[in-house]
């Protein structure tokens, strides 16, 4: 990956960057470690954002910073993100957040609108859905105890009883071999902060153009939560794929719809 920049934003936020053009900050979903991935995970992460870069953006895949403290609020975490983005870029950026990264993106946009030009919220809503809340809480605490936990997420991916049993078994097997987070405090602080988020009352004051993209078969949330989030945002709109699940962020139609939305702001242009 010779074209990939590895760096750290002010405040200690690790990032991988690819592409050329105006800056687009991408906040990923759950990560057990607040570090830049390496090896195969890094290649997979970059592959997931290359289609956005091909649309004329310099994409920064930004993880949460290491050294979080349990008890931090999502507002505090988002505030640190906003400070890092402002210090590094010196201008409002396009923002894309998936799942947990979407929660950070929504809080950041609510509290620091001067930092964000447009925001894409993928597979996330103003609060956690019931399955997401229970599953990720239990998963994170099991991982912190060096016990398999990823299988607890299976219910968010399928309602088919046969597939559910198979998926649980596969995820348990993979999770049983680790690797375990070296610093579980980061992971727990992030999950516990997200567990307390409810931004419903804040949505009407968020005037930043926003696109909510989700799958109707994303059982971590509900279609009603996605719909309500988009409807309460003054400049929000919803794209709900009826046959898609949680991983909408790696589908061709997501890239198509996200890039079309971001281009409406006139922000996407190749650097000279």
């Amino acid at each position: 990956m010779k074209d990939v920049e590895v760096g750290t934003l002010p405040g200690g936020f690790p990032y991988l960057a690819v592409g050329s053009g105006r800056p687009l900050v991408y906040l990923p979903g759950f990560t057990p470690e607040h570090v830049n991935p390496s090896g195969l995970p890094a290649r997979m992460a970059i592959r997931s954002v290359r289609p956005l870069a091909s649309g004329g953006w310099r994409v920064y895949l930004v993880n949460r910073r290491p050294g979080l403290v349990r008890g931090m609020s999502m507002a505090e975490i988002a505030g640190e993100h906003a400070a890092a983005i402002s210090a590094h870029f010196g201008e409002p950026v396009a923002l894309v957040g998936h799942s947990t990264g979407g929660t950070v993106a929504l809080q950041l946009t609510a509290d620091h609108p001067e930092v964000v030009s447009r925001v894409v919220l993928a597979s996330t809503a103003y609060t956690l859905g019931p399955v997401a809340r229970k599953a990720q809480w239990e998963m994170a605490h099991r991982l912190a105890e060096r016990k398999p936990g990823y299988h607890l997420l299976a219910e968010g991916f399928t309602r088919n009883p046969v597939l559910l049993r198979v998926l649980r078994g596969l995820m348990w097997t993979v999770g049983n071999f680790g690797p375990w987070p070296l610093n579980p405090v980061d992971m727990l602080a992030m999950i516990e902060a997200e567990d307390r988020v409810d931004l419903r009352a804040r949505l009407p004051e968020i005037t930043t153009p926003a696109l909510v993209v989700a799958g109707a078969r994303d059982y971590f949330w509900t279609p009603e939560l996605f719909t309500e989030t988009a409807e309460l945002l003054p400049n929000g709109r919803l794209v709900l794929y009826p046959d898609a699940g949680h991983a909408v962020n790696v589908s061709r139609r997501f890239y198509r719809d996200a890039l079309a939305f971001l281009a409406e702001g006139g922000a996407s242009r190749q650097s000279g």
Side-chain angles (χ1 to χ4, degrees), residues 143 147-151 166-180:
L143 292 179
K147 298 177 182 178
Y150 293 116
H151 63 286
V166 172
L167 188 59
R168 280 174 177 160
L170 289 173
M171 295 174 79
W172 185 91
T173 300
V174 172
N176 194 46
F177 293 99
W180 313 111

Side-chain angles (χ1 to χ4, degrees), residues 61-258:
L61 180 65
V62 179
N63 203 340
R64 272 65 73 177
R65 73 164 177 86
L68 296 183
V69 178
R70 293 180 71 173
M72 292 183 71
S73 69
M74 188 59 71
E76 292 174 311
I77 292 170
E80 292 185 346
H81 280 74
I85 291 170
S86 294
H88 188 80
F89 299 105
E91 63 175 318
V93 301
L95 186 61
V96 177
H98 175 249
S99 194
T100 295
T103 302
V104 179
L106 184 57
Q107 182 82 60
L108 194 162
T109 306
D111 294 346
H112 305 277
E114 73 283 355
V115 174
V116 185
S117 58
R118 300 176 80 82
V119 61
V120 177
L121 304 166
S123 304
T124 195
Y126 62 80
T127 194
L128 288 174
V131 173
R133 188 181 306 279
K134 181 176 185 296
Q136 72 174 18
W137 178 275
E138 294 178 353
M139 173 202 64
H141 285 77
R142 283 183 62 87
L143 292 179
E145 296 172 359
R146 303 180 67 81
K147 298 177 182 178
Y150 293 116
H151 63 286
L152 297 171
L153 301 178
E155 189 179 347
F157 293 105
T158 182
R159 292 288 169 85
N160 182 297
V162 175
L163 290 177
L164 186 59
R165 287 196 295 272
V166 172
L167 188 59
R168 280 174 177 160
L170 289 173
M171 295 174 79
W172 185 91
T173 300
V174 172
N176 194 46
F177 293 99
W180 313 111
L182 296 176
N183 178 16
V185 173
D186 282 339
M187 172 185 65
L188 293 173
M190 193 68 209
I191 294 300
E192 291 167 358
E194 187 176 22
D195 187 68
R196 297 189 294 270
V197 170
D198 188 340
L199 290 167
R200 186 182 188 281
R202 299 283 308 280
L203 296 180
E205 68 187 55
I206 301 173
T207 59
T208 304
L211 179 69
V212 179
V213 186
R217 295 183 182 178
D218 183 346
Y219 303 117
F220 290 110
W221 280 266
T222 65
E224 292 76 18
L225 276 171
F226 297 133
T227 300
E228 189 177 19
T229 299
E231 288 180 344
L232 290 174
L233 289 165
N235 292 310
R237 71 183 73 161
L238 173 69
V239 176
L240 187 66
Y241 306 131
D243 58 344
H246 188 62
V248 297
N249 62 309
V250 291
S251 68
R252 289 183 180 179
R253 52 190 169 180
F254 167 76
Y255 300 128
R256 177 199 66 207
D257 293 336

